Amino acid sequence: MSDTSFTGRLRSFADSDLFYSFRRSKTTIIAAAALVLLFVTAVFAPQIAPHNPFDIAGLNLLDSELPPSWMEGGNPAYWLGTDTQARDVVSSIFYGLRISLFVGFASVLLAAVLGVFLGLVGGFVSGFVDAIIMRVADVLLSFPAILVALLINGVMRGILPANQHEGAAIVVLVLAIGLTNWVQYARTVRGSTLVERQREYVQAARTIGVGRLRIMLTHILPNVLGPVLVIATINLGMAVLTEATLSFLGVGMPPTQPSLGTLIRVGNEYLFSGIWWVVIFPSATLAVLVLAVNLIGDWLRDALNPKLR
Amino acid sequence: MALLEVENLKVEFPTRKGVLTAVDNVSFSVEQGEILGVVGESGAGKSMTGAAVIGLLEPPGRIGGGQIRLDGKRIDNLSPDEMRKVRGRHIGAIFQDPLTSLNPLFTVGKQLIETIRTHLPMPAAEARKRAIEWLAEVGIPAPDRRIDQYPHQFSGGMRQRVVIALALCAEPRLIIADEPTTALDVSVQAQIIALLKRVCRERNAAAILVTHDMGVIAETADRVAVMYAGRLAEIGPVARVLQKPSHPYTAGLMGSIPRIGPRPDRLVQIEGSMPRLTDIPKGCAFNPRCPKAIAECHHLRPELRPVADGAAACLLYEGVTQ
Amino acid sequence: MNAAPARMKVVDDRPLLSVKGLKKHFAMSKPLLNRLIEGGETQTVKAVDGLDLEIPRGQTLSLVGESGCGKSTVARLIMGLSTPSAGSILFDGADISQAPAGQPAAVRRRMQMIFQDPYASLNPRWRVRDIIAEPLRTYGLCASREEERREVDRLLEFVGLNSRDGDKFPHEFSGGQRQRISIARAISTKPEFLVCDEPTSALDVSVQAQILNLMRDMQRELGLTYLFISHDLAVVNFMSDWIGVMYLGRLVEVSPAAQLFNSPQHPYTRLLLDTIPDLGMSKRDCVPASGEVPNPINPPSGCHFHPRCALANDRCRRETPNLRAHDNGVRVSCHAVEEGRGDLPAVASAGNDHAAQAVI
Ligand SMILES: Nc1ncnc2c1ncn2[C@@H]1O[C@H](COP(=O)(O)OP(=O)(O)OP(=O)(O)O)[C@@H](O)[C@H]1O
Ligand SMILES: Nc1ncnc2c1ncn2[C@@H]1O[C@H](COP(=O)(O)OP(=O)(O)O)[C@@H](O)[C@H]1O
Ligand code: SF4
Ligand code: SF4
Ligand SMILES: [Mg+2]
Ligand SMILES: [Mg+2]
């Protein structure tokens, strides 16, 4: 009954309990649809954005501060209006989404890889190495995540020469957020590793004479990854928000390469001059993105929960 | 009239792949003071039958048909509240894991006293006296001291004794014991079985003893019901069923049990394993494994019919061919 | 153990496995902080406390005993899954007591283990084919993928499965079928010695019969030597040439199987035989043995069994008995048997039930 071909796997997924519980949850379907839409928009932003907001030559200052097209004085070419630099808000959001999602995914990946590695090693090796990893984790956990991210961010900016800050901003952000969030993965994976390594299939591998590293990678790792997927999903929302917060505080993405957070910060300065659309629409996009990711994370957690080993 | 009558009981689990029938058309009765053993492989539906009788089926499990009568009165359609009164007062329950049946937060005495007073109105002091008597009855040393201890201060066998006291203290007339000794050591198992037997006899209480251990049944039960894939394969007096089984499954089961004594070269072996509920074969559920199967077994479902001094569900006894 | 039971043909009369003075003590201290605050010293559990046994080639020695008496610990020590606190383990003359599992490869390849829980002993994420091939790959026993494939198919069919089953995952199999997969994995390196820790305890009787038959067939065909562990005396009777009865980390009796059942010597052995539920329908109003297995953290002094033993005297409470050889290859560790007063009823009856229990 196990069909190894792709269509076979697809069929068995369509038949699985996971897919069944997905189909039964309307909220999750809507959230997934929203997420796919946002994702596609971000990936294909250069192709589908009506304007290129960063092409200085294409900007016409006469078109600055236009309200959304359905309002009085709006221009149908700029559906959600323009900002003070005459940049199209829709296009800015598309490009901002791209950066926000990139930072989110990259930092989640970094945190997950680091956390899974440290958790696996800590749980499997125990003793001194484990104690060190877990104490560092405890220290990190005792500060608010945003503070740690700010700190790492600050340290890295301090190391880099000032003229490289803009170029390296995205890397610095990914590192700052990634290095902040690995703790949760490490703790979960360490816990499951402690359980798994006592199980008889691991003992069996040991009696066969399989080496420790191999046991860790081929036996234990695949069996502790289930919860990691759930944490990663929930963490993606967190990471996007952290990036937005850092950018909002002015230590994230520069205005020349704005993420959603940067757009909100820049727009926020003009909120009281009445051009609300430059801040409301990026904010709404961010809210929808984070909400959708969290809803999917919640569903995934519940759907996988009884089977979490 | 029998104390408990179960007629065409069906227990179902609705799942997204259709309704699974965990207990299918099971009928039996238990007389006053009688011990009925229920045996079968794991998944045969023994526990579900017991749970249906005491009204403790976990949702989504449900009774999908049939009747359960205690003293001639139906109890399968009672409301949860009414059923709670029947449970304890008229039917006592003992489960496999003594830890789950005892509340770790209360002393053993508190749990006993509460159960006694719920079902038999009496002053607290008298209930406490009763509780101590019950602990002594089930063989707990120094009961007047032990009564104020918590379950974790008791060993596994002692806990199971307390659970038995708890099941019996409201003096029910029927006890349902689901694998009461499976979690215990062999030497303790014998003590618990002997205790159960003695207490039932002294109080003239009937019992349904669910187990997969034929030895326990042989020593304890008066009659035995053999279940297979949710159905009753055979029911009858213990001695006869174990020594001269009518149903091919019972015969195979008996042969496959290793015994003390001269060592055979091989054990009798029933090929294959019990089907999952999702793919129970047509006709007789046992037909793919049955050494005596005939053509009809693949499409005719045998009914439980009187055979010898009991009953068996096998086409060989229906005169289809011989 | 030179009086080999008649039913065996002995080829090489040096034992394949020989264990001497094997001990495993676990430190059971509370966490450091609690110890500092609450005082209290470090406690040890003597899970295995001085075990001597030998298993002749091609034969089966079974260990029986109640939960927690140290059977699995012995299995784990022999397989190198944990390191003994003392004692030696000689496999075909080579001392492996300090070597970790899998090492030295040349010796460990010749011994494999079958575990109790058919659900936990197979990696749920691996295909059956890979599970069975793991030892082959680890020891580089197959020159090519093609050869490995043929070998796995052969093993699957040998244990009564279908070679098509190789592409499935463990969860698609029943408990008995999984145990067959475990067996196929264990015999893939062509070992001479198998440690089987309660291989059928989790199975139904009809499936247990299949697995036990398979194991006996394998022994005949492949000339295997077994260390078999069980708490079920009837199963042990079917499987064994020799039986060792354990109580709280010590062997109390080691005898040829037939001897043990016909004339059990040690009071605990007699208790065990008396308490197994009897299929013979005796409906005896059993006078079950009193008491339970005591806490191994603080076992009774002298002979661990004395609180439950009707033959116990002062010497038993003071002095630990040693295994002594008697006729017919029987070895017993009991003062009463040694003093020749072992024939009295040995088990405290229900009458002094309470007295005996109060000790626990
Ligand atoms: N890692 C450990 N740390 C502390 N104590 C242990 C450890 N492993 C085993 N023990 C103790 O050693 C004793 C023997 O355990 P073991 O698992 O060998 O028993 P067993 O005879 O196999 O029992 P069962 O029939 O339940 O499998 C028990 O008291 C157990 O609690
Ligand atoms: N919640 C459930 N959903 C679906 N099937 C169930 C559920 N609970 C039990 N079953 C099935 O009911 C059948 C009978 O179970 P049970 O009475 O517990 O067997 P046993 O004879 O071992 O006591 C089994 O096949 C089991 O898988
Ligand atoms: S009905 Fe047929 S298959 Fe079923 S037990 Fe009887 S002979 Fe066997
Ligand atoms: S007679 Fe003494 S040594 Fe022998 S089992 Fe009894 S207590 Fe132990
Ligand atoms: Mg059950
Ligand atoms: Mg064990």
Side-chain angles (χ1 to χ4, degrees):
Chain A
M1 280 203 281
S2 341
D3 187 342
T4 44
S5 71
F6 178 71
T7 49
R9 290 203 175 169
L10 208 62
R11 222 177 306 123
S12 75
F13 174 72
D15 197 36
S16 68
D17 293 335
L18 195 63
F19 187 65
Y20 177 75
S21 90
F22 176 74
R23 266 194 346 218
R24 295 225 316 185
S25 163
K26 277 218 182 69
T27 337
T28 314
I29 297 180
I30 295 173
L35 197 62
V36 167
L37 194 71
L38 290 174
F39 198 69
V40 168
T41 313
V43 171
F44 295 105
Q47 285 76 35
I48 57 177
H51 304 268
N52 181 348
F54 308 109
D55 176 12
I56 314 254
L59 296 179
N60 182 351
L61 276 184
L62 287 180
D63 285 340
S64 65
E65 300 185 21
L66 289 178
S69 59
W70 63 87
M71 286 177 52
E72 199 177 324
N75 180 337
Y78 303 105
W79 187 48
L80 293 180
T82 57
D83 66 6
T84 51
Q85 312 278 310
R87 286 182 297 227
D88 177 29
V89 170
V90 178
S91 307
S92 300
I93 289 177
F94 283 12
Y95 279 88
L97 201 55
R98 193 177 160 87
I99 291 179
S100 287
L101 272 174
F102 175 81
V103 173
F105 273 108
S107 58
V108 163
L109 192 71
L110 175 65
V113 169
L114 190 66
V116 168
F117 175 74
L118 291 177
L120 203 57
V121 169
F124 198 70
V125 179
S126 320
F128 185 64
V129 180
D130 180 39
I132 299 259
I133 297 175
M134 285 300 121
R135 289 303 81 75
V136 173
D138 289 344
V139 170
L140 277 184
L141 266 192
S142 55
F143 295 100
I146 190 74
L147 211 63
V148 180
L150 265 174
L151 188 72
I152 300 177
N153 202 22
V155 169
M156 278 190 291
R157 282 168 174 256
I159 297 171
L160 286 172
N163 60 356
Q164 287 182 17
H165 279 185
E166 287 209 353
I170 200 160
V171 180
V172 171
L173 271 179
V174 168
L175 284 175
I177 301 172
L179 292 181
T180 311
N181 286 340
W182 60 269
V183 174
Q184 220 186 337
Y185 300 92
R187 293 195 142 198
T188 313
V189 168
R190 175 177 176 270
S192 334
T193 303
L194 285 176
V195 175
E196 292 299 319
R197 77 168 196 184
Q198 296 299 332
R199 292 173 68 110
E200 287 183 351
Y201 71 86
V202 174
Q203 314 274 316
R206 286 178 61 197
T207 62
I208 288 165
V210 182
R212 284 159 79 91
L213 190 66
R214 259 192 92 83
I215 291 185
M216 204 159 86
L217 295 180
T218 63
H219 283 286
I220 297 184
L221 182 61
N223 283 294
V224 296
L225 282 182
V228 169
L229 188 67
V230 177
I231 301 177
T233 319
I234 293 173
N235 239 306
L236 179 62
M238 287 281 298
V240 168
L241 268 185
T242 310
E243 183 280 329
T245 313
L246 291 175
S247 295
F248 184 82
L249 295 175
V251 293
M253 297 304 292
T256 48
Q257 250 184 308
S259 68
L260 289 176
T262 322
L263 290 179
I264 297 168
R265 170 171 68 94
V266 175
N268 198 33
E269 291 168 12
Y270 298 97
L271 189 57
F272 295 105
S273 30
I275 45 175
W276 51 268
W277 53 91
V278 295
V279 59
I280 292 299
F281 294 118
S283 305
T285 312
L286 180 67
V288 170
L289 174 62
V290 173
L291 188 65
V293 170
N294 283 350
L295 284 173
I296 293 196
D298 284 351
W299 160 76
L300 204 58
R301 187 189 51 211
D302 295 345
L304 291 179
N305 198 24
K307 284 167 208 148
L308 288 188
R309 265 173 288 257
Chain B
M1 182 178 47
L3 175 66
L4 177 81
E5 291 164 304
V6 174
E7 207 176 294
N8 298 332
L9 176 68
K10 221 176 214 221
V11 173
E12 297 176 336
F13 286 94
T15 70
R16 68 190 175 91
K17 292 193 173 140
V19 176
L20 299 181
T21 310
V23 175
D24 195 356
N25 239 359
V26 164
S27 307
F28 62 88
S29 62
V30 183
E31 301 293 331
Q32 189 76 46
E34 178 188 46
I35 299 184
L36 174 73
V38 181
V39 285
E41 296 177 51
S42 78
K46 308 179 298 289
S47 300
M48 294 300 128
T49 307
V53 173
I54 30 176
L56 284 180
L57 277 178
E58 296 280 341
R62 59 169 192 229
I63 295 184
Q67 290 195 355
I68 303 171
R69 290 187 299 269
L70 187 70
D71 272 332
K73 285 195 283 292
R74 279 186 72 169
I75 56 168
D76 54 306
N77 52 5
L78 295 183
S79 72
D81 263 347
E82 292 168 313
M83 197 59 212
R84 208 167 304 133
K85 286 194 200 110
V86 173
R87 208 158 46 229
R89 183 69 193 90
H90 300 288
I91 310 182
I94 304 170
F95 296 109
Q96 172 170 347
D97 183 358
L99 262 189
T100 57
S101 321
L102 293 171
N103 188 334
L105 299 179
F106 298 114
T107 63
V108 162
K110 188 168 162 52
Q111 300 183 49
L112 270 169
I113 293 169
E114 199 177 298
T115 311
I116 294 175
R117 293 190 68 197
T118 310
H119 297 291
L120 311 170
M122 64 174 73
E126 194 181 328
R128 187 180 161 87
K129 222 178 96 220
R130 275 275 178 106
I132 295 178
E133 281 165 20
W134 268 110
L135 288 180
E137 173 84 23
V138 295
I140 305 254
D144 43 345
R145 200 158 41 81
R146 288 294 208 153
I147 189 166
D148 293 317
Q149 292 187 339
Y150 290 87
H152 71 86
Q153 292 169 294
F154 288 67
S155 71
M158 295 280 212
R159 277 188 216 129
Q160 199 61 301
R161 288 171 191 268
V162 173
V163 171
I164 292 180
L166 212 50
L168 285 162
C169 64
E171 309 194 338
R173 296 163 58 209
L174 176 67
I175 293 158
I176 296 187
D178 189 352
E179 312 258 4
T181 59
T182 307
L184 303 176
D185 280 319
V186 263
S187 68
V188 182
Q189 166 175 329
Q191 301 165 10
I192 297 295
I193 290 293
L195 169 68
L196 199 63
K197 235 166 90 175
R198 175 170 62 79
V199 185
C200 280
R201 186 174 324 128
E202 282 172 10
R203 321 246 146 202
N204 197 24
I208 297 180
L209 177 65
V210 173
T211 172
H212 61 264
D213 188 334
M214 277 289 192
V216 169
I217 295 280
E219 292 217 330
T220 318
D222 302 306
R223 281 190 311 141
V224 58
V226 182
M227 289 190 72
Y228 185 81
R231 306 171 185 183
L232 214 51
E234 175 163 13
I235 185 167
V238 170
R240 206 269 301 149
V241 172
L242 299 199
Q243 271 150 24
K244 277 188 66 205
S246 319
H247 195 282
Y249 174 63
T250 321
L253 201 58
M254 292 308 301
S256 66
I257 301 173
R259 293 163 198 246
I260 307 274
R263 167 167 108 147
D265 264 349
R266 286 181 75 82
L267 296 166
V268 175
Q269 179 169 327
I270 316 178
E271 298 301 334
S273 53
M274 203 175 69
R276 300 181 189 193
L277 289 188
T278 41
D279 42 25
I280 292 187
K282 261 173 64 100
C284 173
F286 188 54
N287 80 58
R289 304 175 73 190
C290 181
K292 294 192 177 163
I294 49 179
E296 283 80 358
C297 301
H298 299 276
H299 55 265
L300 279 183
R301 176 168 167 184
E303 298 285 327
L304 197 66
R305 278 170 202 279
V307 175
D309 47 3
C314 171
L315 292 177
L316 296 180
Y317 298 99
E318 292 196 7
V320 174
T321 41
Q322 200 68 39
Chain C
M1 256 194 220
N2 32 25
R7 52 174 108 132
M8 293 316 306
K9 42 182 192 302
V10 178
V11 186
D12 178 348
D13 57 1
R14 279 175 308 137
L16 184 60
L17 184 88
S18 146
V19 169
K20 286 207 178 62
L22 189 65
K23 289 189 183 177
K24 179 71 186 181
H25 296 182
F26 293 105
M28 286 287 289
S29 47
K30 297 178 190 161
L32 182 65
L33 200 59
N34 301 34
R35 229 182 314 151
L36 288 179
I37 297 171
E38 297 163 22
E41 64 231 77
T42 16
Q43 293 178 312
T44 52
V45 180
K46 300 183 175 174
V48 176
D49 197 18
L51 197 83
D52 297 311
L53 43 87
E54 292 182 345
I55 311 182
R57 275 162 222 272
Q59 301 194 9
T60 302
L61 182 139
S62 294
L63 289 179
V64 281
E66 295 177 85
S67 188
C69 71
K71 308 181 296 288
S72 300
T73 307
V74 174
R76 295 171 50 82
L77 290 172
I78 291 175
M79 290 310 294
L81 289 171
S82 84
T83 318
S85 314
S88 66
I89 302 169
L90 298 180
F91 181 82
D92 205 5
D95 190 344
I96 49 169
S97 58
Q98 298 302 317
Q103 275 162 14
V107 179
R108 294 287 187 193
R109 209 188 97 183
R110 297 164 61 197
M111 52 202 297
Q112 294 293 328
M113 178 160 177
I114 300 168
F115 294 83
Q116 169 171 1
D117 183 350
Y119 293 87
S121 57
L122 306 176
N123 188 335
R125 312 259 157 181
W126 282 33
R127 283 179 202 284
V128 168
R129 179 169 299 288
D130 297 319
I131 292 175
I132 296 178
E134 191 176 29
L136 298 174
R137 290 174 195 162
T138 306
Y139 292 107
L141 296 181
C142 292
S144 65
R145 278 279 146 143
E146 185 44 42
E147 188 186 336
E148 178 191 296
R149 202 176 173 82
R150 263 184 281 121
E151 180 62 12
V152 171
D153 289 348
R154 186 187 71 78
L155 286 164
L156 279 168
E157 273 157 30
F158 183 83
V159 297
L161 294 170
N162 193 305
S163 56
R164 279 196 313 272
D165 290 336
D167 295 320
K168 297 185 186 167
F169 285 97
H171 69 87
E172 297 174 56
F173 294 89
S174 66
Q177 289 172 318
R178 287 180 199 218
Q179 210 55 308
R180 287 176 193 269
I181 297 170
S182 279
I183 292 174
R185 172 176 60 188
I187 60 173
S188 66
T189 62
K190 303 203 164 58
E192 293 148 54
F193 178 61
L194 284 187
V195 172
C196 319
D197 188 359
E198 312 226 19
T200 60
S201 303
L203 305 176
D204 283 307
V205 275
S206 77
V207 181
Q208 164 172 285
Q210 298 168 0
I211 299 295
L212 293 180
N213 281 339
L214 172 65
M215 292 187 60
R216 286 277 301 266
D217 293 347
M218 268 168 35
Q219 183 164 43
R220 268 188 291 263
E221 260 173 69
L222 308 176
L224 293 173
T225 306
Y226 289 143
L227 173 67
F228 189 88
I229 292 175
S230 177
H231 61 263
D232 184 333
L233 279 167
V235 168
V236 160
N237 175 49
F238 177 69
M239 288 302 295
S240 329
D241 302 296
W242 298 88
I243 297 175
V245 181
M246 283 185 76
Y247 191 74
L248 284 184
R250 297 179 186 162
L251 273 173
V252 297
E253 176 163 1
V254 188
S255 299
Q259 285 288 333
L260 188 105
F261 285 106
N262 292 338
S263 60
Q265 295 294 313
H266 194 280
Y268 178 64
T269 313
R270 284 150 67 186
L271 178 156
L272 276 185
L273 281 171
D274 272 352
T275 48
I276 5 177
D278 183 11
L279 270 179
M281 292 297 312
S282 64
K283 273 239 170 184
R284 67 189 136 113
D285 246 327
C286 20
V287 186
S290 56
E292 297 175 23
V293 184
N295 185 346
I297 295 184
N298 209 344
S301 62
C303 172
H304 287 342
F305 188 60
H306 81 248
R308 301 172 78 183
C309 180
L311 302 181
N313 59 16
D314 277 346
R315 182 175 174 210
C316 302
R317 282 181 272 274
R318 223 176 35 238
E319 192 184 318
T320 305
N322 290 318
L323 267 187
R324 288 171 162 267
H326 295 258
D327 296 343
N328 305 323
V330 173
R331 292 189 303 154
V332 186
S333 97
C334 168
H335 296 314
V337 174
E338 186 199 322
E339 292 160 8
R341 54 179 185 91
D343 296 332
L344 304 163
V347 174
S349 70
N352 58 21
D353 198 25
H354 297 180
Q357 272 174 353
V359 182
I360 297 155

